[in-house]
Amino acid sequence: MDLTQFSGGMAQGEVIEISGAVFSEKGNPLPGTVVELWQANAYGRYHHSGDDSPEPRDPHFQGFGAVSADKQGAYRFRTVLPGLYPGRTRHLHFRLVRDGRPALVTQMYFPGENGNARDGLFNWLGSEEAQQAATARLMVASDRSKLRFDFVMKA
Ligand SMILES: [Fe+2]
């Protein structure tokens, strides 16, 4: 799913691609899981009437998307690097829906972000293991445009 082109134009910002798969706790892929993504635009503003940020809206950035995991449980989004907004490190929001029911709500963090160590929710994850599980991996060293992020959930 591509969030970078909307209403006849290209979104502002650095294009990134996030791909991964949805697995059960036993490691089996969970095809058909709906993966929903929402995030701030490149300026750090959400496409939501409740976001009263002074930063610009981006009419060409979709801001929200949903895809269904394929037979291997895999999903893929093309989007832009979310801008920072006050009080948070850089992040994406995900919600996974199975059989019509919300099954997991989580956030994805970016590797190598200075703000991670100062972020309240990132720190709330507690262990380094939990923080790593919530942080995407670079698919190519020093290229932050291609990220891998897997989900593990109760099936
Ligand atoms: Fe957010």
Side-chain angles (χ1 to χ4, degrees):
M1 163 127 218
D2 188 354
L3 307 185
T4 68
Q5 294 176 61
F6 192 63
S7 188
M10 270 296 294
Q12 296 296 310
E14 190 180 323
V15 174
I16 59 172
E17 204 173 276
I18 298 142
S19 59
V22 186
F23 298 105
S24 70
E25 288 174 310
K26 288 180 178 163
N28 299 315
L30 296 174
T33 305
V34 177
V35 180
E36 299 175 347
L37 162 67
W38 72 100
Q39 63 166 96
N41 66 23
Y43 306 108
R45 182 169 183 166
Y46 285 93
H47 190 82
H48 184 279
S49 54
D51 187 340
D52 54 6
S53 159
E55 301 301 331
R57 297 179 191 278
D58 182 346
H60 300 305
F61 178 55
Q62 191 162 330
F64 172 86
V67 288
S68 193
D70 71 11
K71 279 185 183 147
Q72 282 79 43
Y75 77 93
R76 180 182 299 270
F77 284 102
R78 186 176 149 87
T79 184
V80 297
L81 193 70
L84 294 168
Y85 63 86
R88 291 303 315 278
T89 190
R90 205 182 305 279
H91 63 280
L92 304 179
H93 294 267
F94 282 103
R95 187 174 81 147
L96 273 58
V97 178
R98 272 192 73 70
D99 302 324
R101 286 199 301 271
L104 177 69
V105 177
T106 191
Q107 297 189 16
M108 187 205 96
Y109 297 92
F110 290 80
E113 282 286 330
N114 291 330
N116 289 352
R118 294 191 300 272
D119 188 82
L121 285 176
F122 188 77
N123 283 309
W124 177 80
L125 291 166
S127 69
E128 200 171 312
E129 190 186 358
Q131 290 176 343
Q132 265 176 24
T135 305
R137 283 185 290 117
L138 300 180
M139 293 181 70
V140 179
S142 71
D143 175 4
R144 67 176 179 176
S145 73
K146 288 192 175 56
L147 297 152
R148 167 101 196 180
F149 191 62
D150 293 334
F151 299 94
V152 176
M153 56 188 273
K154 292 195 172 81

